[in-house]
Amino acid sequence: MIAATGLRWILTLLFCALAAYGLWRALAARSHPWTARLAHGLHALMALAMFAMAWSWGMDLPGTPQVIFFSLAAAWFVLIALALPSGPEPRARALMNALPHAVMTGAMAWMVAAMPSGMSVGAMGGGHAHDMPGMDMSAPGATATMTLSGTGDRWSAGLLALVLLTLALWWLAKGFDTGRLAPRTASRAASGGAVHAAWDLGCHGLMALGMAVMFVVMV
């Protein structure tokens, strides 16, 4: 999907690091509720899917199972937020916290659905990329990058990029604030929890930022 070697490797390292962190949090945080650990696992899988989409071989992966999986994951974030809290205020707060994750996961499903699934990609670095249905690969040489050809799809990708960029800035700012205030907490356990929360928020922000870049590439 991305022909620029530098950007492709930057995103590869970013998504692989995020996948490793999500997997570590899913396996190591055994004292956390199973919903929190599953959420970390879903983020790890989404990071791996984004890593694959940065490379041409990622286009050969079946798209329909990914669309179904990430659509169900987006619905799960919303449903679990509605089901678990007991009071109206906690439920509303949990829903507001879950919506950004649902939006990000739903955007992942949209991206996979918009990409041509199960088709091989030409040698993008050598100027031999071939057009695919719904995609425009007219740029020459090493700068060739697959972009959406439909006007509606391009507008949708641009809007999702803007939404994801907004979420990225919000998560990163919140993560920096949480990390900055962590040493001021009273107990070591509370301080450690704040540090983990700051890392989680930072990783969510970086995930959203990487996805925003991928959507910009598609426009």
Side-chain angles (χ1 to χ4, degrees), residues 129-209:
H130 302 290
D131 290 338
M132 298 183 197
M135 309 296 293
D136 180 14
M137 300 175 63
S138 57
T143 60
T145 302
M146 293 186 299
T147 57
L148 296 169
S149 58
T151 303
D153 288 342
R154 297 182 71 175
W155 274 100
S156 298
L159 178 60
L160 287 172
L162 181 60
V163 171
L164 289 167
L165 178 59
T166 302
L167 289 177
L169 295 176
W170 178 70
W171 266 321
L172 289 173
K174 191 174 180 181
F176 282 129
D177 287 341
T178 303
R180 180 172 54 86
L181 297 175
R184 302 179 185 179
T185 55
S187 64
R188 177 178 297 181
S191 178
V195 170
H196 283 152
W199 275 102
D200 290 346
L201 290 167
C203 287
H204 296 332
L206 291 175
M207 173 77 80
L209 182 60

Side-chain angles (χ1 to χ4, degrees), residues 1-13 54-56 124-125:
M1 178 175 172
I2 298 178
T5 304
L7 178 59
R8 186 170 58 204
W9 276 106
I10 289 173
L11 291 176
T12 294
L13 294 175
W55 295 83
S56 60
M124 298 172 66

